[in-house]
């Protein structure tokens, strides 16, 4: 088959993703459309060749790193296919899975679309909208992520406090199943009957099976989604390429907020920062005023993260534009708000200052972004943290190739987050490992990162993560809120689900993939 090539040194960059998990493969293919994608999948099914789907390789769990067989890279499936408007005035856009989030954002911002092949309805809908009128809300740290990759792990990002995860913004999917057949699924149209599944392909064939006997966590979770009477398209969102390969997505768009602005506040200790977060989320401690507005984003940075970025400024020219940190900082919290009336900013800032003062912070030790340029500076600071981690991990890998990004994205409910946070701090402080904590504290999950320098530290870090997974399981939480389990967190998935439930999930996968060729090594051993 002309689409399939032998793996060679030319394609070495397709053997690992952003986690730096190194894989191996015998073949590679770059389909440009659904027909070619299905052809490659059918070839793999006939030859019993395992296949690993890839998007932009920005994942942090090793999900796109191949474990033998064929690499199915979807980067050439990167077109915007059309638009429509629903009867209630909601706009939708159809895209291929390899389209990058940054490409979609730019197309919507400046209204620059390649309309070749669009139908009349799509072109008519495009004429109705203005540049910058609509946006796709999910906001993962890496804007070069592919839309299909975001769906495969239900990516969330900073603004999911207000807008939710990728799942909430997917209205329809087309999926190539493990035998090359195609399922065309639309929200509210194809649903489970209790726990019974009956899915019809575009060829008219019917797949029947049963959902597992349990339901997955109600909190933010990047893995399988299991509910009675669930939408069948949700089986594929978060399944990390183990159930089928997404070939097309229809995304729900939203009106762009008229004004975005943000505040970064610095605190003398972590307890002040945690009290501030509780107040901003509407759960203030006694004596602390309630903040009157919902936040779009609430991000946390501990002292080690802030120090790390400051040190990196000295050796990374691009970071030299970062603001100077105030003296005697311990931690920082970034709050972003989306408002339709810029005139209300002074009133909201006054309310935020009252909260800051009540929890022991200092309104004069804050960075406030009131316009797009100032907001961009704050966002650049936020993104500099994971970028610095990437630089450090890459340097450490030169000495010890087994090292990957060692980061968790566990999540729990409001009642358990402070307990989990203190477990993180206690265990990390008791170790001799280099570490930082930052991330999406607004949804009760931060990212402890262990910056292992050698194999011993790397293995010790995994042991600590397994301990935390047991704690999170006890609290009823998720071991992966937004990155997925991939290959790095398979043992953590086993801890969270338990052996019997994981067997039920595997039985569900095998109903869709009898030969077990899809996503080898992802989630399941």
């Amino acid at each position: 088959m002309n689409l399939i090539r032998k793996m060679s040194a030319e394609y070495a960059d397709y053997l690992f993703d952003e986690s730096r998990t190194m894989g191996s493969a015998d073949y590679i293919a770059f389909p440009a459309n659904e027909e070619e994608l299905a052809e490659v999948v059918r070839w793999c099914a006939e030859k019993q060749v395992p296949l690993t789907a890839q998007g932009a390789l920005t994942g942090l769990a090793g999900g796109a790193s191949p474990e033998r067989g064929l690499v199915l890279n979807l980067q050439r499936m990167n077109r915007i296919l059309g638009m429509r408007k629903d009867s209630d005035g909601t706009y939708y856009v159809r895209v291929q899975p390899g389209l990058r989030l940054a490409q979609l954002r730019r197309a919507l911002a400046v209204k620059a679309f390649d309309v070749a092949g669009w139908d009349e309805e799509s072109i008519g809908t495009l004429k109705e909208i203005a540049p910058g009128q609509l946006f796709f809300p999910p906001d993962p740290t890496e804007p070069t992520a592919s839309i299909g990759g975001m769906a495969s792990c239900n990516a969330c990002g900073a603004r999911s406090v207000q807008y939710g995860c990728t799942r909430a913004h997917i209205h329809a999917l087309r999926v190539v199943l493990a035998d090359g057949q195609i399922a065309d699924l639309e929200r509210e149209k194809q649903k489970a009957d209790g726990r019974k599944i009956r899915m019809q392909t575009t060829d008219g064939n019917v797949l029947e099976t049963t959902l597992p006997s349990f339901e997955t966590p109600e909190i933010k979770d990047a893995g399988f989604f299991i509910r009675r009477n669930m939408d069948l398209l949700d089986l594929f969102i978060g399944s990390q390429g183990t159930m089928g390969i997404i070939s097309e997505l229809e995304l729900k768009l939203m009106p762009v907020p008229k004004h975005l602005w943000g505040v970064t506040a610095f605190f003398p200790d972590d307890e002040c920062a945690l009290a501030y977060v509780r107040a901003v989320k509407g759960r203030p401690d006694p004596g602390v005023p309630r903040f009157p507005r919902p936040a779009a984003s609430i991000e946390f940075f501990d002292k080690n993260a802030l120090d790390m970025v400051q040190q990196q400024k000295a050796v990374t020219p691009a970071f030299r534009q970062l603001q100077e940190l105030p003296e005697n900082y311990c931690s920082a919290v970034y709050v972003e708000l989306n408002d339709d009336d810029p005139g209300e900013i002074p009133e909201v800032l006054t309310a935020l200052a009252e909260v800051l003062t009540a929890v022991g912070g200092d309104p004069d030790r804050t960075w406030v972004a009131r316009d797009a340029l100032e907001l961009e500076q704050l966002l650049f600071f936020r993104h500099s943290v994971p970028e610095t981690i990437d630089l450090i991990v890459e340097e450490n890998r030169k000495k010890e190739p087994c090292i990957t990004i060692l980061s968790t994205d566990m999540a729990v409910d409001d009642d358990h987050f402070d307990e989990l946070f203190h477990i993180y701090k206690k265990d990390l402080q008791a170790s001799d490992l280099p570490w930082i904590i930052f991330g999406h504290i607004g949804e009760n999950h931060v990212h402890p990162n262990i910056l292992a320098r050698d194999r011993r530290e790397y293995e010790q870090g995994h042991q600590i993560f397994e301990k935390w997974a047991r704690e999170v399981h006890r609290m009823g939480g998720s071991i992966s809120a937004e990155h997925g389990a991939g290959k790095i967190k398979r043992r953590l998935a086993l801890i969270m689900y338990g052996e019997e439930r994981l067997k039920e999930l595997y039985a569900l996968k095998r109903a869709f993939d009898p030969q077990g060729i899809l996503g080898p090594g992802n989630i399941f051993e």
Side-chain angles (χ1 to χ4, degrees):
M1 181 188 294
N2 293 334
L3 289 170
I4 296 173
R5 310 170 191 181
K6 281 281 190 180
M7 181 59 73
S8 66
E10 176 185 357
Y11 305 114
D13 288 347
Y14 298 98
L15 295 177
F16 59 94
D17 61 12
E18 192 70 16
S19 72
R20 306 305 195 272
T21 302
M22 183 60 65
S24 63
D26 304 304
Y27 308 97
I28 190 166
F30 298 91
N33 53 52
E34 183 181 83
E35 182 180 354
E36 291 182 354
L37 170 55
E39 187 178 352
V40 173
V41 173
R42 284 193 294 271
W43 182 88
C44 289
E46 290 167 4
K47 305 289 186 183
Q48 296 188 6
V49 174
L51 66 96
T52 300
Q54 293 180 346
L57 295 166
T58 61
L60 295 174
S65 301
E67 194 172 278
R68 71 191 186 281
L70 180 136
V71 170
L72 184 62
N73 187 281
L74 304 178
Q75 65 182 14
R76 295 182 185 174
M77 295 181 65
N78 61 1
R79 295 200 64 234
I80 299 174
L81 302 173
M83 300 185 74
R84 69 178 179 89
K85 184 170 74 170
D86 214 342
S87 57
D88 65 359
T90 302
Y91 287 91
Y92 299 87
V93 60
R94 288 188 300 113
V95 305
Q96 290 182 308
L99 181 74
R100 294 176 184 254
L101 175 61
Q103 292 174 302
L104 177 61
R105 285 176 172 173
R106 183 182 182 281
L108 292 168
V110 301
K111 196 178 174 180
F113 294 86
D114 176 4
V115 298
W118 282 31
D119 57 26
E120 290 185 8
E121 179 187 9
S122 294
I123 292 174
T125 303
L126 180 60
K127 290 178 180 179
E128 294 180 15
I129 68 170
Q133 176 184 340
L134 301 169
F135 82 126
F136 180 57
D139 183 37
T141 299
E142 183 48 75
T144 62
S146 69
I147 303 297
M150 291 170 59
S152 75
C153 65
N154 191 29
C156 297
R159 291 175 182 153
S160 57
V161 175
Q162 179 168 345
Y163 297 112
C165 298
T166 298
R167 183 188 310 279
H169 305 279
I170 296 178
H171 181 73
L173 291 176
R174 286 176 66 88
V175 180
V176 178
L177 302 177
D179 59 2
Q181 294 190 83
I182 295 166
D184 193 355
L185 304 167
E186 184 177 348
R187 195 164 293 284
E188 298 295 330
K189 293 292 181 66
Q190 299 92 1
K191 305 186 80 168
D193 179 9
R195 296 199 180 275
K196 294 180 180 179
I197 294 174
R198 189 176 190 277
M199 180 182 294
Q200 185 168 333
T201 70
T202 56
D203 292 335
N205 296 315
V206 175
L207 185 154
E208 293 184 299
T209 188
T210 304
L211 288 169
S213 62
F214 63 93
E215 300 198 349
T216 47
E218 293 284 351
I219 63 172
K220 186 176 181 182
D221 183 63
F224 282 99
F225 182 87
I226 305 296
R227 298 285 187 279
R228 291 179 59 86
N229 303 311
M230 64 181 287
D231 277 297
L232 296 187
L233 62 80
D234 284 325
L235 287 171
F236 301 95
I237 301 170
S239 64
Q240 295 184 262
T242 62
M243 301 279 287
I245 311 300
I246 295 171
S247 58
E248 186 178 310
L249 308 91
E250 185 175 65
L251 310 175
K252 182 179 179 179
L253 302 177
M254 295 183 67
V256 171
K258 293 181 181 177
H259 195 71
L260 302 177
W261 57 286
V263 175
T264 299
F266 295 85
F267 297 92
D269 59 57
D270 290 340
E271 296 308 314
C272 292
L274 293 173
Y276 176 69
V277 170
R278 289 192 292 271
V280 172
K281 291 176 63 175
R283 303 173 68 244
D285 297 343
V288 177
R290 180 185 297 273
F291 186 62
R293 289 294 184 87
S297 172
I298 311 174
E299 300 285 295
F300 173 81
F301 309 90
D302 79 339
K303 188 176 190 305
N304 288 352
L306 298 173
D307 287 347
M308 179 188 71
V309 173
Q310 282 294 92
Q311 293 163 8
Q312 199 67 29
K313 281 178 64 175
V315 295
T316 305
F319 285 9
R320 288 173 189 160
Q321 62 179 291
L322 290 170
Q323 304 97 312
E324 288 297 322
L325 297 178
E327 295 181 358
N328 302 319
Y329 57 80
C330 174
S331 56
V333 175
Y334 167 74
V335 174
E336 183 177 300
L337 298 116
N338 297 352
D339 276 311
D340 288 333
D341 184 2
E344 296 182 5
I345 291 178
E347 176 186 339
V348 177
L349 277 177
T350 298
L352 200 58
E354 291 174 355
V355 172
L356 266 172
T357 302
V359 301
D362 183 352
D364 293 330
R365 290 160 56 87
T366 62
W367 298 339
V368 180
R370 297 179 179 86
D371 57 37
L373 182 60
E374 291 177 343
L375 184 64
E376 186 176 335
Q377 286 184 305
L378 293 194
L379 292 175
F380 181 70
F381 179 84
R382 186 256 181 266
H383 291 307
S384 69
V385 177
E387 288 180 16
T388 303
I389 292 170
D390 288 346
L391 293 170
I392 293 172
V393 170
E394 197 58 43
E395 191 63 29
N396 290 343
R397 275 176 56 82
K398 294 176 183 178
K399 295 172 285 186
E400 182 52 77
C402 77
I403 289 174
T404 65
I405 285 180
L406 207 53
S407 171
T408 75
D409 56 333
M410 302 180 191
V412 293
D413 59 19
D414 285 343
D415 292 338
H416 289 97
F417 176 73
D418 283 14
E419 179 187 359
L420 180 61
F421 181 86
H422 290 118
I423 289 172
Y424 287 157
K425 291 293 294 275
K426 178 182 177 182
D427 289 345
L428 291 171
Q429 288 171 344
S431 75
D432 59 351
L433 303 172
W435 55 272
I436 69 167
I437 298 177
F438 79 102
H440 314 314
I441 198 168
E443 288 190 288
N444 301 324
H445 84 96
V446 289
H447 299 304
N449 278 254
I450 293 175
L451 304 172
R453 295 162 293 195
D454 55 39
R455 182 179 291 274
R456 180 193 68 82
E457 292 187 346
Y458 184 68
E459 292 173 353
Q460 184 182 352
H462 277 290
Q463 291 170 3
I464 291 173
F465 285 5
E466 289 180 23
K467 175 184 181 296
W468 293 344
R470 288 188 285 273
E471 297 283 4
V472 167
H473 174 66
R474 173 181 62 81
M475 299 175 191
S478 167
I479 57 96
S480 183
E482 62 178 351
H483 296 157
K487 298 172 180 66
I488 291 178
K489 301 173 188 171
R490 287 181 299 199
R491 286 186 61 81
L492 305 189
L494 176 59
I495 291 169
M496 183 179 90
Y497 291 116
E499 187 172 343
E500 292 307 312
R501 287 185 171 186
L502 204 61
K503 284 180 179 178
E504 288 191 63
L505 283 173
Y506 189 66
L508 176 65
K509 169 189 164 51
R510 291 306 289 263
F512 283 83
D513 177 19
Q515 299 183 91
I517 64 171
L518 298 182
N522 283 349
I523 308 170
F524 308 102
E525 292 285 358

